[in-house]
Amino acid sequence: MNIDFNSLLCKQPVATPFIAGLAVAAAAMAGKYGIQASHSFKNRPPRPRSRRFYEGGFQQTMTWREAALILGVR
């Protein structure tokens, strides 16, 4: 049995360049969407940094009004 090692080492599978191309395309798309996300993050309207808290005492039993004040619903 005569095996030609030179011919075995020189042949590359066809799928390798295809997979490499897909990897490059995926990296380019991820970079594109990452840049778009960073621009939209920078251009969003500013939000207030601190929240105003309820500065009052509470009653012995919690009422609907106190619960709404704590949760910031009203």
Side-chain angles (χ1 to χ4, degrees):
M1 183 176 202
N2 193 4
I3 299 175
D4 185 16
F5 289 109
N6 257 348
S7 65
L8 289 176
L9 293 175
C10 292
K11 292 182 180 178
Q12 278 189 336
V14 178
T16 303
F18 180 72
I19 292 171
L22 285 178
V24 169
M29 288 180 67
K32 174 185 168 184
Y33 291 124
I35 290 171
Q36 286 178 354
S38 69
H39 285 301
S40 65
F41 182 74
K42 287 179 185 176
N43 294 334
R44 72 172 201 253
R47 293 176 53 190
R49 297 260 178 206
S50 62
R51 292 178 52 184
R52 197 175 130 233
F53 294 103
Y54 179 65
E55 297 178 5
F58 293 105
Q59 298 174 2
Q60 196 67 15
T61 58
M62 184 174 288
T63 62
W64 285 102
R65 181 179 177 276
E66 287 178 351
L69 287 171
I70 291 171
L71 295 174
V73 178
R74 293 183 187 176

